[in-house]
Amino acid sequence: MSEKHIITLTVNGVTHTAEAEPRMHLGDFLRLELALTGTHLGCEHGVCGACTVLVGGEAVRSCLMLAVQADGARVTTIEGIAAADGSLHPLQAAFHAHHGLQCGFCTPGMIMSLAAYLRDHPGAGEAELRDALSGNICRCTGYQAIIESGLAAARAMGGKAD
Ligand code: FES
Ligand code: FES
C-alpha cells in the first residue's frame, strides 16, 4: 500500500489537516475524510460534472484532481455556498423556485459550475449558460428548468458568486 501524505486545505473557510493516499482524488477526500457528502461522484472520470467544486475560486472536477494536489488550496463545496446566516445562495434559491432539479444528484455540480461562471460572466444569457453547463450531465430534468434557474440566479446575483 502506498504511503499516506498529510495535507492541509481550507474548505468552506475551515482549515483541515488530514491524511490522503497519493491516489485519492479530491472528491473522495472531501466525502470520506471530511464527511462533506454534498459533492457527488457519478462517473469518476471527468465526464458528468457532478463532482464540481471550486478550488481557488475556479470550477474543478474533484474526481480529476488528486487530494495531494489540493494541499494548501482554498476549496468551496456546495455545503459552503450559502451565506453565514444560513440564507440560500441565489443559485440555490433559484433552483428551488424554478424546479431546477428532480433527483438532485447533478445539482451540486450544476450550482458550483454556475457559481464560478456567473461570477465571471454576470450578464450571461441562455446560450452562454447552456455552453457553461455543457459538461454537466442531468439524467432527469431535460435541462430547461436548470437553465431557467441559472438565468433567474444571474438576474439576482449581480455578478457575485464565490
Ligand atoms: S464524478 Fe467527476 S466528472 Fe463525473
Ligand atoms: S436532477 Fe437528477 S440527475 Fe439532474
Side-chain angles (χ1 to χ4, degrees):
M1 187 191 296
S2 42
E3 206 172 300
K4 290 187 175 181
H5 294 263
I6 306 280
I7 63 172
T8 299
L9 57 170
T10 302
V11 183
N12 303 330
V14 179
T15 301
H16 298 271
T17 298
E19 288 186 338
E21 285 188 23
R23 68 177 183 174
M24 176 181 257
H25 61 60
L26 178 60
D28 268 346
F29 181 83
L30 293 169
R31 290 176 57 85
L32 302 177
E33 299 298 326
L34 304 187
L36 293 171
T37 53
T39 298
H40 292 166
L41 293 169
C43 65
E44 295 199 65
H45 64 168
V47 173
C48 74
C51 66
T52 304
V53 300
L54 305 185
V55 177
E58 299 303 319
V60 166
R61 283 158 201 265
S62 62
C63 71
L64 293 185
M65 183 175 198
L66 295 171
V68 293
Q69 292 176 296
D71 190 17
R74 176 175 61 93
V75 177
T76 305
T77 70
I78 190 66
E79 290 93 342
I81 204 160
D85 67 1
S87 56
L88 293 180
H89 184 282
L91 277 161
Q92 293 173 305
F95 270 67
H96 180 254
H98 295 268
H99 310 291
L101 64 148
Q102 288 183 26
C103 82
F105 192 87
C106 69
T107 313
M110 294 282 180
I111 287 179
M112 300 314 289
S113 294
L114 284 173
Y117 187 77
L118 289 176
R119 178 197 62 217
D120 296 339
H121 305 85
E126 178 172 348
E128 289 97 336
L129 290 192
R130 287 190 183 277
D131 194 46
L133 289 180
S134 61
N136 289 76
I137 292 172
C138 176
R139 61 188 174 182
C140 305
T141 64
Y143 300 96
Q144 189 58 36
I146 291 173
I147 297 300
E148 288 167 8
S149 302
L151 289 170
R155 288 192 292 274
M157 282 165 66
K160 285 192 287 180
D162 180 16

